């Protein structure tokens, strides 16, 4: 996934994956203030020509990293972001061989 930059456009409510100056993927989200602060991802898109490169996974990891840095929760409404939680959590818990098996079953590395 070299050459892809993930950037946060908070004003527009999206994390963007940018390659060669072109937005090739994004997670659309909003910031929930009440009852508790949270980032709420609602939709993930990767342009068809860029699918299978791990971009959705990189976006999900950055969303969770952003939330951790801000000390807020993530409340996913988007199934891709929700699946990202499970896969990222499994990697943290068991790592190594099981993560590689899960990746092979999904057909990629993210």
């Amino acid at each position: 996934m070299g050459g892809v930059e993930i950037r946060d456009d908070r004003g527009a409510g999206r994390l963007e994956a940018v390659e060669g100056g072109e937005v090739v993927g994004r997670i659309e989200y909003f910031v929930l203030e009440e009852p508790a602060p949270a980032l709420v991802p609602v939709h993930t898109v990767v342009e068809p020509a860029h699918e299978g490169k791990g971009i959705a996974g990189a976006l999900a990891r950055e969303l969770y990293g952003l939330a951790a840095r801000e000390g807020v929760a993530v409340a996913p409404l988007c199934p891709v972001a929700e699946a990202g939680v499970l896969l990222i959590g499994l990697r943290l818990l068991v790592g190594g061989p099981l993560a590689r098996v899960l990746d092979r079953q999904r057909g990629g590395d993210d």
Side-chain angles (χ1 to χ4, degrees):
M1 210 190 77
V4 175
E5 172 193 357
I6 307 294
R7 64 182 182 202
D8 182 21
D9 186 346
R10 181 66 54 104
R14 62 181 172 252
L15 281 177
E16 298 174 326
V18 179
E19 182 177 51
E22 174 188 2
V23 176
V24 297
R26 67 185 181 282
I27 289 182
E28 298 168 359
Y29 72 95
F30 63 91
V31 179
L32 182 67
E33 298 296 336
E34 297 291 332
L39 299 180
V40 183
V42 295
H43 191 55
T44 301
V45 175
V46 174
E47 296 302 323
H50 297 276
E51 291 176 351
K53 297 180 179 180
I55 292 172
L59 285 162
R61 282 189 299 277
E62 179 56 25
L63 180 79
Y64 285 90
L66 182 63
R69 290 189 298 275
E70 294 181 9
V72 301
V74 175
L77 296 178
C78 170
V80 171
E82 190 169 20
V85 172
L86 298 175
L87 291 173
I88 292 165
L90 281 174
R91 282 194 179 101
L92 292 174
L93 289 174
V94 298
L98 182 57
R100 286 191 291 277
V101 169
L102 291 171
D103 286 338
R104 280 196 303 272
Q105 288 178 345
R106 288 182 21 249
D109 58 311
D110 279 320

